[in-house]
Amino acid sequence: MAASLASARPADHTPRMEALRTIRTPKLEIAYAEAGPPDGPPVLLLHGFPYAPHAYAEVVPRLAAGRRCIIPYLRGYGPTRFLSPETPRSGQQAALGQDLLDLLDALAIPCATLAGYDWGGRAACIVAALWPERVAGLVSCTGYNVQDIAGSAKPASPEQEHRLWYQYYFHTERGRAGLEVDRRGIARLLWRLWSPEWHFDATTFAASASTFDNPDFVPVVIQSYRHRFGYAGGDPALEPIEAALARQPRITVPTIAPHGGADGVGPAAASADHHRHFTGPYERRVLPGIGHNVPQEAPEAFAQAVLDLPSA
């Protein structure tokens, strides 16, 4: 992981990265990279689907001079593993939030800045909403990322329904099989569709795509997209968290919400009214020409959002 991150960015932006580490939580052995001073204010950088920690390759050098940067692989990605075959391979939002909280506990971090996008932004929003005492500040791309599962049956505009084709595909057995046999092909297509102005090369894509070979990647992804529409049950142990999230809790911690102006799956207009979900300081920043993968497409802007927040 450390070598992969280093190889993905220009040499003059390469900080000293420690070797990949792992730590056990109640359900997972989480793999993560770390950079920066171990006694610095902690920042957790959280990737989404179908991406990887490599998205932060050029963000980390901009933060590591003074911040302790922790970049984990989410469940189902890279070397992160479930401890028990009995644990449901769930990708539901409550699982992502609980995993992040468990990681903070395992690392003995009482309070941190949380920064993420897509699945990672969702995990960060959940911890900020339900355990605000653990969060000094929040960077959440596209704004409020907590899912409204009860409202998921309400149709969106035809244009937005078209953008969500991959989710409906994953609701079917054909979609599950398609992801199983060509996870890289699907991911590459989504990268292009979601970031139409980002011209990534084969090496950049391959660095992240290798993390999709985790044996739990497909079941976690499929369960995630089925659960959010009510087409799959969740992990019973996580029902109290899902019940709390169903109330669409507001977020009280200082928040900056970058949103790519060229985001091909979640257009910038969609977050225009997200301020209603935040009761603390909140700033929305639209980034022209940037797509869905904000930290990899606009690392300077993403890092600056972290630096503009209060630190733990």
Side-chain angles (χ1 to χ4, degrees), residues 184-253:
R184 283 170 171 74
I186 290 173
R188 188 183 297 105
L189 174 60
L190 294 178
W191 279 35
R192 294 201 308 266
L193 293 175
W194 295 355
S195 299
E197 298 184 30
W198 180 39
H199 303 294
F200 58 90
D201 59 24
T203 300
T204 298
F205 176 75
S208 290
S210 65
T211 72
F212 311 153
D213 292 333
N214 185 306
D216 296 309
F217 176 78
V218 171
V220 166
V221 169
I222 294 299
Q223 197 279 344
S224 174
Y225 287 103
R226 292 181 182 181
H227 181 272
R228 66 184 64 189
F229 282 88
Y231 296 140
D235 183 342
L238 298 172
E239 281 309 304
I241 297 177
E242 289 292 352
L245 298 176
R247 296 191 286 271
Q248 295 285 276
R250 293 184 177 181
I251 293 174
T252 60
V253 307

Side-chain angles (χ1 to χ4, degrees), residues 163-199:
R163 297 183 188 104
L164 300 182
W165 68 269
Y166 67 101
Q167 300 192 18
Y168 309 142
Y169 181 53
F170 293 158
H171 294 169
T172 69
E173 177 57 23
R174 181 182 178 90
R176 187 209 62 77
L179 184 63
E180 186 70 66
V181 301
D182 195 9
R183 57 194 77 184
R184 283 170 171 74
I186 290 173
R188 188 183 297 105
L189 174 60
L190 294 178
W191 279 35
R192 294 201 308 266
L193 293 175
W194 295 355
S195 299
E197 298 184 30
W198 180 39
H199 303 294

Side-chain angles (χ1 to χ4, degrees), residues 47-236:
H47 71 86
F49 165 86
Y51 302 102
H54 303 76
Y56 292 101
E58 293 186 38
V59 173
V60 169
R62 293 170 165 87
L63 299 179
R67 305 294 179 97
R68 178 189 179 191
C69 299
I70 297 161
I71 315 100
Y73 288 89
L74 300 185
R75 56 168 56 197
Y77 291 80
T80 291
R81 292 291 186 270
F82 286 87
L83 299 179
S84 169
E86 305 303 318
T87 302
R89 270 40 177 179
S90 172
Q92 68 192 96
Q93 60 177 349
L96 303 177
Q98 184 67 63
D99 288 349
L100 177 52
L101 182 67
D102 289 344
L103 179 59
L104 290 172
D105 288 344
L107 292 170
I109 295 175
C111 186
T113 299
L114 304 181
Y117 68 111
D118 198 87
W119 287 23
R122 182 162 301 114
C125 279
I126 289 168
V127 174
L130 300 184
W131 298 280
E133 70 280 1
R134 306 298 297 271
V135 183
L138 171 68
V139 175
S140 176
C141 295
T142 70
Y144 189 76
N145 276 300
V146 178
Q147 293 163 350
D148 179 12
I149 295 175
S152 65
K154 182 180 178 181
S157 69
E159 290 80 8
Q160 186 60 18
E161 297 284 6
H162 172 71
R163 297 183 188 104
L164 300 182
W165 68 269
Y166 67 101
Q167 300 192 18
Y168 309 142
Y169 181 53
F170 293 158
H171 294 169
T172 69
E173 177 57 23
R174 181 182 178 90
R176 187 209 62 77
L179 184 63
E180 186 70 66
V181 301
D182 195 9
R183 57 194 77 184
R184 283 170 171 74
I186 290 173
R188 188 183 297 105
L189 174 60
L190 294 178
W191 279 35
R192 294 201 308 266
L193 293 175
W194 295 355
S195 299
E197 298 184 30
W198 180 39
H199 303 294
F200 58 90
D201 59 24
T203 300
T204 298
F205 176 75
S208 290
S210 65
T211 72
F212 311 153
D213 292 333
N214 185 306
D216 296 309
F217 176 78
V218 171
V220 166
V221 169
I222 294 299
Q223 197 279 344
S224 174
Y225 287 103
R226 292 181 182 181
H227 181 272
R228 66 184 64 189
F229 282 88
Y231 296 140
D235 183 342

